[in-house]
Amino acid sequence: MTDADFNRVRQLIYQRAGIVLAEHKREMVYSRLARRLRLHRLTRFTDYLARLERQPEAREWEAFTNALTTNLTAFFREAHHFPLLASHVQSRGGPVRVWCAAASTGEEPYSIAMTLSETLGAHAREARVLATDIDTDALTRAREAVYPLEQVLKLPDERRKRFFLRGGGTRAGLARIRPELMSMVEFRPLNLLAPSWPIEGPFDAIFCRNVMIYFDKETQARILDRFVPLLKPDGLLFAGHSENFSYISQAFRLRGQTVYELADSASSRAASRR
């Protein structure tokens, strides 16, 4: 892979998915895309990239994007967010709706669904979690809802028994999300850079955690502005631990640790206290 090849990869993935690849990601890019070259019996990255550019609608673009997408996730990752979500939805009227905008392999949206189930009781059957991601391979795994048992064993006993089925026989060492929890989550492919999102709000909360770090500030601001009409006036936006939206968009105001609310909502609440 030449310098020109690597720079072209960086341009293409930015154009397609808004992902900014740093210079130190070169080895990762090489190892992940080399598998695609071997599959197509190609020996030069130049030829592979030229094939992509000649066929802008080819399915290989999906594989290219999937290969360069990072899926680091876990159940109840950044755990302080989930009690905040529980408190937020506890006394709300009407069905609760949450959008998880970077669903990966499903651990985050299922953690959201578990929180809603524990908090809303019988009303949880009306709650819905929309889970989207650009990586279609990750979404396939998320829909299967099967995870290594060692990953599930990190959860409290009560949660494991309530929300998981332990595999036996050929499924030993695996656990599956129970059907009633799976039914609360809808998975859809979505590119946050797409000119339109086939999504209808409003949502009580949006989780967009640890994905904005891959975008430049201009792209981040554009996405944040598109979140605004999809949130309820008092809705919450959850960000990742290393993300700070305060200096990117004036539409949102920090409410707690990496949790944001619409600035208009915060102003209205402050005025009502005066």
Side-chain angles (χ1 to χ4, degrees), residues 224-259:
L224 287 170
D225 287 344
R226 294 177 72 181
F227 283 157
V228 172
L230 294 173
L231 265 179
K232 292 182 180 179
D234 61 345
L236 298 180
L237 173 63
F238 292 85
H241 69 279
S242 60
E243 296 169 324
N244 187 337
F245 301 156
S246 298
Y247 305 103
I248 298 172
S249 172
Q250 295 182 345
F252 288 93
R253 187 171 300 180
L254 188 66
R255 178 167 171 176
Q257 187 180 357
T258 58
V259 180

mmCIF file of all heavy atoms in Angstrom, residues 224-259:
data_model
loop_
_atom_site.group_PDB
_atom_site.id
_atom_site.type_symbol
_atom_site.label_atom_id
_atom_site.label_comp_id
_atom_site.label_asym_id
_atom_site.label_seq_id
_atom_site.Cartn_x
_atom_site.Cartn_y
_atom_site.Cartn_z
ATOM 1 N N LEU A 224 -25.343 17.291 14.764
ATOM 2 C CA LEU A 224 -26.020 17.786 15.964
ATOM 3 C C LEU A 224 -27.241 18.625 15.595
ATOM 4 O O LEU A 224 -28.304 18.508 16.221
ATOM 5 C CB LEU A 224 -25.048 18.604 16.818
ATOM 6 C CG LEU A 224 -23.980 17.802 17.567
ATOM 7 C CD1 LEU A 224 -22.948 18.738 18.176
ATOM 8 C CD2 LEU A 224 -24.604 16.920 18.648
ATOM 9 N N ASP A 225 -27.099 19.465 14.583
ATOM 10 C CA ASP A 225 -28.240 20.281 14.151
ATOM 11 C C ASP A 225 -29.381 19.405 13.643
ATOM 12 O O ASP A 225 -30.559 19.745 13.821
ATOM 13 C CB ASP A 225 -27.808 21.259 13.058
ATOM 14 C CG ASP A 225 -26.962 22.406 13.597
ATOM 15 O OD1 ASP A 225 -26.973 22.616 14.827
ATOM 16 O OD2 ASP A 225 -26.291 23.084 12.799
ATOM 17 N N ARG A 226 -29.057 18.270 13.037
ATOM 18 C CA ARG A 226 -30.105 17.376 12.527
ATOM 19 C C ARG A 226 -30.779 16.590 13.653
ATOM 20 O O ARG A 226 -31.885 16.070 13.474
ATOM 21 C CB ARG A 226 -29.502 16.425 11.483
ATOM 22 C CG ARG A 226 -29.027 17.141 10.232
ATOM 23 C CD ARG A 226 -28.362 16.205 9.253
ATOM 24 N NE ARG A 226 -29.343 15.319 8.609
ATOM 25 C CZ ARG A 226 -29.010 14.394 7.718
ATOM 26 N NH1 ARG A 226 -27.737 14.213 7.376
ATOM 27 N NH2 ARG A 226 -29.945 13.642 7.167
ATOM 28 N N PHE A 227 -30.114 16.481 14.794
ATOM 29 C CA PHE A 227 -30.730 15.819 15.947
ATOM 30 C C PHE A 227 -31.861 16.661 16.552
ATOM 31 O O PHE A 227 -32.810 16.117 17.121
ATOM 32 C CB PHE A 227 -29.692 15.567 17.047
ATOM 33 C CG PHE A 227 -28.776 14.397 16.796
ATOM 34 C CD1 PHE A 227 -27.538 14.331 17.423
ATOM 35 C CD2 PHE A 227 -29.150 13.361 15.957
ATOM 36 C CE1 PHE A 227 -26.692 13.251 17.207
ATOM 37 C CE2 PHE A 227 -28.306 12.279 15.730
ATOM 38 C CZ PHE A 227 -27.074 12.233 16.363
ATOM 39 N N VAL A 228 -31.737 17.986 16.450
ATOM 40 C CA VAL A 228 -32.631 18.894 17.177
ATOM 41 C C VAL A 228 -34.109 18.590 16.938
ATOM 42 O O VAL A 228 -34.875 18.401 17.895
ATOM 43 C CB VAL A 228 -32.295 20.365 16.856
ATOM 44 C CG1 VAL A 228 -33.342 21.295 17.464
ATOM 45 C CG2 VAL A 228 -30.913 20.719 17.377
ATOM 46 N N PRO A 229 -34.588 18.537 15.680
ATOM 47 C CA PRO A 229 -36.024 18.294 15.478
ATOM 48 C C PRO A 229 -36.468 16.878 15.816
ATOM 49 O O PRO A 229 -37.671 16.605 15.857
ATOM 50 C CB PRO A 229 -36.220 18.583 13.980
ATOM 51 C CG PRO A 229 -34.882 18.353 13.376
ATOM 52 C CD PRO A 229 -33.883 18.768 14.408
ATOM 53 N N LEU A 230 -35.510 15.974 16.066
ATOM 54 C CA LEU A 230 -35.857 14.590 16.378
ATOM 55 C C LEU A 230 -35.977 14.337 17.879
ATOM 56 O O LEU A 230 -36.368 13.251 18.291
ATOM 57 C CB LEU A 230 -34.818 13.634 15.776
ATOM 58 C CG LEU A 230 -34.773 13.599 14.250
ATOM 59 C CD1 LEU A 230 -33.602 12.757 13.770
ATOM 60 C CD2 LEU A 230 -36.079 13.048 13.684
ATOM 61 N N LEU A 231 -35.639 15.345 18.683
ATOM 62 C CA LEU A 231 -35.739 15.227 20.145
ATOM 63 C C LEU A 231 -36.997 15.911 20.655
ATOM 64 O O LEU A 231 -37.390 16.960 20.145
ATOM 65 C CB LEU A 231 -34.525 15.870 20.817
ATOM 66 C CG LEU A 231 -33.334 15.005 21.190
ATOM 67 C CD1 LEU A 231 -32.248 15.880 21.809
ATOM 68 C CD2 LEU A 231 -33.708 13.885 22.145
ATOM 69 N N LYS A 232 -37.609 15.332 21.668
ATOM 70 C CA LYS A 232 -38.675 16.026 22.373
ATOM 71 C C LYS A 232 -38.078 17.268 23.053
ATOM 72 O O LYS A 232 -36.872 17.311 23.326
ATOM 73 C CB LYS A 232 -39.317 15.097 23.410
ATOM 74 C CG LYS A 232 -40.094 13.954 22.775
ATOM 75 C CD LYS A 232 -40.768 13.077 23.816
ATOM 76 C CE LYS A 232 -41.546 11.932 23.149
ATOM 77 N NZ LYS A 232 -42.203 11.043 24.132
ATOM 78 N N PRO A 233 -38.885 18.275 23.326
ATOM 79 C CA PRO A 233 -38.352 19.520 23.906
ATOM 80 C C PRO A 233 -37.502 19.306 25.150
ATOM 81 O O PRO A 233 -36.542 20.043 25.390
ATOM 82 C CB PRO A 233 -39.621 20.324 24.216
ATOM 83 C CG PRO A 233 -40.608 19.840 23.210
ATOM 84 C CD PRO A 233 -40.325 18.368 23.051
ATOM 85 N N ASP A 234 -37.854 18.300 25.950
ATOM 86 C CA ASP A 234 -37.066 18.029 27.160
ATOM 87 C C ASP A 234 -36.224 16.769 27.012
ATOM 88 O O ASP A 234 -35.797 16.169 28.000
ATOM 89 C CB ASP A 234 -37.981 17.899 28.377
ATOM 90 C CG ASP A 234 -38.981 16.748 28.227
ATOM 91 O OD1 ASP A 234 -39.148 16.251 27.096
ATOM 92 O OD2 ASP A 234 -39.585 16.353 29.241
ATOM 93 N N GLY A 235 -35.970 16.365 25.767
ATOM 94 C CA GLY A 235 -35.208 15.144 25.523
ATOM 95 C C GLY A 235 -33.732 15.304 25.862
ATOM 96 O O GLY A 235 -33.213 16.418 25.989
ATOM 97 N N LEU A 236 -33.048 14.168 25.988
ATOM 98 C CA LEU A 236 -31.637 14.163 26.346
ATOM 99 C C LEU A 236 -30.799 13.564 25.224
ATOM 100 O O LEU A 236 -31.236 12.644 24.531
ATOM 101 C CB LEU A 236 -31.402 13.349 27.627
ATOM 102 C CG LEU A 236 -32.077 13.847 28.902
ATOM 103 C CD1 LEU A 236 -31.736 12.930 30.075
ATOM 104 C CD2 LEU A 236 -31.682 15.284 29.215
ATOM 105 N N LEU A 237 -29.591 14.101 25.062
ATOM 106 C CA LEU A 237 -28.607 13.571 24.123
ATOM 107 C C LEU A 237 -27.420 13.058 24.925
ATOM 108 O O LEU A 237 -26.800 13.818 25.671
ATOM 109 C CB LEU A 237 -28.160 14.662 23.151
ATOM 110 C CG LEU A 237 -26.997 14.300 22.211
ATOM 111 C CD1 LEU A 237 -27.380 13.163 21.271
ATOM 112 C CD2 LEU A 237 -26.553 15.536 21.419
ATOM 113 N N PHE A 238 -27.116 11.775 24.774
ATOM 114 C CA PHE A 238 -26.006 11.153 25.497
ATOM 115 C C PHE A 238 -24.796 11.044 24.571
ATOM 116 O O PHE A 238 -24.896 10.491 23.465
ATOM 117 C CB PHE A 238 -26.412 9.767 25.999
ATOM 118 C CG PHE A 238 -27.463 9.779 27.073
ATOM 119 C CD1 PHE A 238 -28.810 9.838 26.745
ATOM 120 C CD2 PHE A 238 -27.109 9.738 28.415
ATOM 121 C CE1 PHE A 238 -29.792 9.854 27.728
ATOM 122 C CE2 PHE A 238 -28.075 9.750 29.411
ATOM 123 C CZ PHE A 238 -29.422 9.811 29.067
ATOM 124 N N ALA A 239 -23.653 11.548 25.043
ATOM 125 C CA ALA A 239 -22.408 11.525 24.271
ATOM 126 C C ALA A 239 -21.404 10.580 24.928
ATOM 127 O O ALA A 239 -21.598 10.126 26.061
ATOM 128 C CB ALA A 239 -21.823 12.932 24.186
ATOM 129 N N GLY A 240 -20.325 10.298 24.208
ATOM 130 C CA GLY A 240 -19.274 9.448 24.744
ATOM 131 C C GLY A 240 -18.370 10.203 25.710
ATOM 132 O O GLY A 240 -18.351 11.439 25.748
ATOM 133 N N HIS A 241 -17.577 9.473 26.485
ATOM 134 C CA HIS A 241 -16.788 10.089 27.553
ATOM 135 C C HIS A 241 -15.730 11.059 27.042
ATOM 136 O O HIS A 241 -15.305 11.956 27.760
ATOM 137 C CB HIS A 241 -16.118 8.994 28.402
ATOM 138 C CG HIS A 241 -15.042 8.244 27.685
ATOM 139 N ND1 HIS A 241 -15.314 7.201 26.815
ATOM 140 C CD2 HIS A 241 -13.687 8.381 27.686
ATOM 141 C CE1 HIS A 241 -14.182 6.735 26.324
ATOM 142 N NE2 HIS A 241 -13.196 7.434 26.833
ATOM 143 N N SER A 242 -15.285 10.895 25.793
ATOM 144 C CA SER A 242 -14.246 11.776 25.252
ATOM 145 C C SER A 242 -14.807 12.797 24.275
ATOM 146 O O SER A 242 -14.052 13.450 23.555
ATOM 147 C CB SER A 242 -13.162 10.948 24.564
ATOM 148 O OG SER A 242 -13.713 10.185 23.501
ATOM 149 N N GLU A 243 -16.128 12.954 24.257
ATOM 150 C CA GLU A 243 -16.763 13.874 23.315
ATOM 151 C C GLU A 243 -17.313 15.092 24.048
ATOM 152 O O GLU A 243 -17.890 14.963 25.130
ATOM 153 C CB GLU A 243 -17.897 13.153 22.567
ATOM 154 C CG GLU A 243 -17.372 12.010 21.707
ATOM 155 C CD GLU A 243 -18.469 11.102 21.172
ATOM 156 O OE1 GLU A 243 -19.463 10.880 21.902
ATOM 157 O OE2 GLU A 243 -18.322 10.614 20.048
ATOM 158 N N ASN A 244 -17.128 16.241 23.464
ATOM 159 C CA ASN A 244 -17.608 17.490 24.052
ATOM 160 C C ASN A 244 -18.308 18.298 22.963
ATOM 161 O O ASN A 244 -17.673 18.744 22.013
ATOM 162 C CB ASN A 244 -16.433 18.284 24.640
ATOM 163 C CG ASN A 244 -16.901 19.505 25.418
ATOM 164 O OD1 ASN A 244 -17.995 20.014 25.204
ATOM 165 N ND2 ASN A 244 -16.059 19.986 26.321
ATOM 166 N N PHE A 245 -19.611 18.474 23.106
ATOM 167 C CA PHE A 245 -20.396 19.180 22.091
ATOM 168 C C PHE A 245 -20.623 20.649 22.427
ATOM 169 O O PHE A 245 -21.200 21.387 21.637
ATOM 170 C CB PHE A 245 -21.765 18.505 21.922
ATOM 171 C CG PHE A 245 -21.694 17.058 21.504
ATOM 172 C CD1 PHE A 245 -22.744 16.200 21.787
ATOM 173 C CD2 PHE A 245 -20.589 16.555 20.841
ATOM 174 C CE1 PHE A 245 -22.702 14.862 21.398
ATOM 175 C CE2 PHE A 245 -20.521 15.225 20.454
ATOM 176 C CZ PHE A 245 -21.586 14.380 20.738
ATOM 177 N N SER A 246 -20.171 21.090 23.591
ATOM 178 C CA SER A 246 -20.495 22.438 24.061
ATOM 179 C C SER A 246 -19.976 23.524 23.129
ATOM 180 O O SER A 246 -20.585 24.589 23.003
ATOM 181 C CB SER A 246 -19.916 22.656 25.466
ATOM 182 O OG SER A 246 -20.490 21.750 26.391
ATOM 183 N N TYR A 247 -18.832 23.291 22.499
ATOM 184 C CA TYR A 247 -18.230 24.311 21.647
ATOM 185 C C TYR A 247 -18.477 24.048 20.168
ATOM 186 O O TYR A 247 -17.905 24.704 19.313
ATOM 187 C CB TYR A 247 -16.726 24.379 21.919
ATOM 188 C CG TYR A 247 -16.411 24.603 23.379
ATOM 189 C CD1 TYR A 247 -15.976 23.573 24.192
ATOM 190 C CD2 TYR A 247 -16.587 25.864 23.941
ATOM 191 C CE1 TYR A 247 -15.713 23.783 25.540
ATOM 192 C CE2 TYR A 247 -16.324 26.087 25.284
ATOM 193 C CZ TYR A 247 -15.887 25.051 26.075
ATOM 194 O OH TYR A 247 -15.638 25.265 27.399
ATOM 195 N N ILE A 248 -19.348 23.076 19.874
ATOM 196 C CA ILE A 248 -19.607 22.712 18.482
ATOM 197 C C ILE A 248 -20.956 23.218 18.016
ATOM 198 O O ILE A 248 -21.110 23.680 16.895
ATOM 199 C CB ILE A 248 -19.515 21.181 18.317
ATOM 200 C CG1 ILE A 248 -18.103 20.707 18.652
ATOM 201 C CG2 ILE A 248 -19.897 20.765 16.901
ATOM 202 C CD1 ILE A 248 -17.966 19.208 18.694
ATOM 203 N N SER A 249 -21.958 23.128 18.882
ATOM 204 C CA SER A 249 -23.313 23.518 18.511
ATOM 205 C C SER A 249 -23.949 24.330 19.622
ATOM 206 O O SER A 249 -23.852 23.978 20.798
ATOM 207 C CB SER A 249 -24.162 22.264 18.237
ATOM 208 O OG SER A 249 -25.523 22.611 18.065
ATOM 209 N N GLN A 250 -24.601 25.418 19.248
ATOM 210 C CA GLN A 250 -25.316 26.234 20.228
ATOM 211 C C GLN A 250 -26.709 25.686 20.515
ATOM 212 O O GLN A 250 -27.412 26.198 21.380
ATOM 213 C CB GLN A 250 -25.424 27.673 19.715
ATOM 214 C CG GLN A 250 -24.081 28.376 19.582
ATOM 215 C CD GLN A 250 -24.216 29.814 19.128
ATOM 216 O OE1 GLN A 250 -25.274 30.216 18.646
ATOM 217 N NE2 GLN A 250 -23.159 30.585 19.292
ATOM 218 N N ALA A 251 -27.082 24.644 19.785
ATOM 219 C CA ALA A 251 -28.416 24.062 19.973
ATOM 220 C C ALA A 251 -28.514 23.238 21.242
ATOM 221 O O ALA A 251 -29.608 23.003 21.747
ATOM 222 C CB ALA A 251 -28.781 23.196 18.771
ATOM 223 N N PHE A 252 -27.345 22.791 21.765
ATOM 224 C CA PHE A 252 -27.347 21.930 22.945
ATOM 225 C C PHE A 252 -26.575 22.570 24.088
ATOM 226 O O PHE A 252 -25.621 23.318 23.880
ATOM 227 C CB PHE A 252 -26.722 20.570 22.614
ATOM 228 C CG PHE A 252 -27.593 19.711 21.748
ATOM 229 C CD1 PHE A 252 -27.448 19.728 20.367
ATOM 230 C CD2 PHE A 252 -28.572 18.902 22.303
ATOM 231 C CE1 PHE A 252 -28.255 18.944 19.556
ATOM 232 C CE2 PHE A 252 -29.389 18.116 21.505
ATOM 233 C CZ PHE A 252 -29.232 18.137 20.129
ATOM 234 N N ARG A 253 -27.005 22.229 25.296
ATOM 235 C CA ARG A 253 -26.360 22.724 26.510
ATOM 236 C C ARG A 253 -26.064 21.537 27.424
ATOM 237 O O ARG A 253 -26.892 20.637 27.572
ATOM 238 C CB ARG A 253 -27.292 23.712 27.206
ATOM 239 C CG ARG A 253 -26.671 24.430 28.396
ATOM 240 C CD ARG A 253 -27.596 25.531 28.872
ATOM 241 N NE ARG A 253 -27.836 26.519 27.824
ATOM 242 C CZ ARG A 253 -28.623 27.597 27.984
ATOM 243 N NH1 ARG A 253 -29.248 27.796 29.133
ATOM 244 N NH2 ARG A 253 -28.781 28.441 27.003
ATOM 245 N N LEU A 254 -24.877 21.564 28.030
ATOM 246 C CA LEU A 254 -24.479 20.478 28.926
ATOM 247 C C LEU A 254 -25.390 20.445 30.140
ATOM 248 O O LEU A 254 -25.602 21.471 30.807
ATOM 249 C CB LEU A 254 -23.023 20.668 29.360
ATOM 250 C CG LEU A 254 -22.395 19.514 30.145
ATOM 251 C CD1 LEU A 254 -22.266 18.277 29.257
ATOM 252 C CD2 LEU A 254 -21.009 19.930 30.663
ATOM 253 N N ARG A 255 -25.910 19.261 30.436
ATOM 254 C CA ARG A 255 -26.786 19.100 31.604
ATOM 255 C C ARG A 255 -26.112 18.288 32.704
ATOM 256 O O ARG A 255 -26.374 18.476 33.885
ATOM 257 C CB ARG A 255 -28.082 18.422 31.189
ATOM 258 C CG ARG A 255 -29.034 18.172 32.340
ATOM 259 C CD ARG A 255 -30.399 17.792 31.857
ATOM 260 N NE ARG A 255 -31.252 17.346 32.928
ATOM 261 C CZ ARG A 255 -32.527 17.024 32.787
ATOM 262 N NH1 ARG A 255 -33.108 17.120 31.599
ATOM 263 N NH2 ARG A 255 -33.243 16.608 33.805
ATOM 264 N N GLY A 256 -25.266 17.354 32.318
ATOM 265 C CA GLY A 256 -24.558 16.511 33.284
ATOM 266 C C GLY A 256 -23.335 15.944 32.608
ATOM 267 O O GLY A 256 -22.943 16.400 31.535
ATOM 268 N N GLN A 257 -22.734 14.958 33.207
ATOM 269 C CA GLN A 257 -21.516 14.371 32.647
ATOM 270 C C GLN A 257 -21.803 13.732 31.290
ATOM 271 O O GLN A 257 -22.438 12.694 31.207
ATOM 272 C CB GLN A 257 -20.947 13.327 33.613
ATOM 273 C CG GLN A 257 -19.591 12.780 33.178
ATOM 274 C CD GLN A 257 -19.068 11.751 34.162
ATOM 275 O OE1 GLN A 257 -19.672 11.482 35.187
ATOM 276 N NE2 GLN A 257 -17.933 11.155 33.836
ATOM 277 N N THR A 258 -21.354 14.394 30.211
ATOM 278 C CA THR A 258 -21.555 13.969 28.823
ATOM 279 C C THR A 258 -23.025 13.712 28.496
ATOM 280 O O THR A 258 -23.359 12.851 27.692
ATOM 281 C CB THR A 258 -20.702 12.720 28.468
ATOM 282 O OG1 THR A 258 -21.027 11.641 29.365
ATOM 283 C CG2 THR A 258 -19.221 13.026 28.554
ATOM 284 N N VAL A 259 -23.914 14.489 29.107
ATOM 285 C CA VAL A 259 -25.346 14.447 28.808
ATOM 286 C C VAL A 259 -25.791 15.860 28.467
ATOM 287 O O VAL A 259 -25.493 16.805 29.206
ATOM 288 C CB VAL A 259 -26.172 13.910 29.992
ATOM 289 C CG1 VAL A 259 -27.656 13.873 29.646
ATOM 290 C CG2 VAL A 259 -25.700 12.524 30.390
#
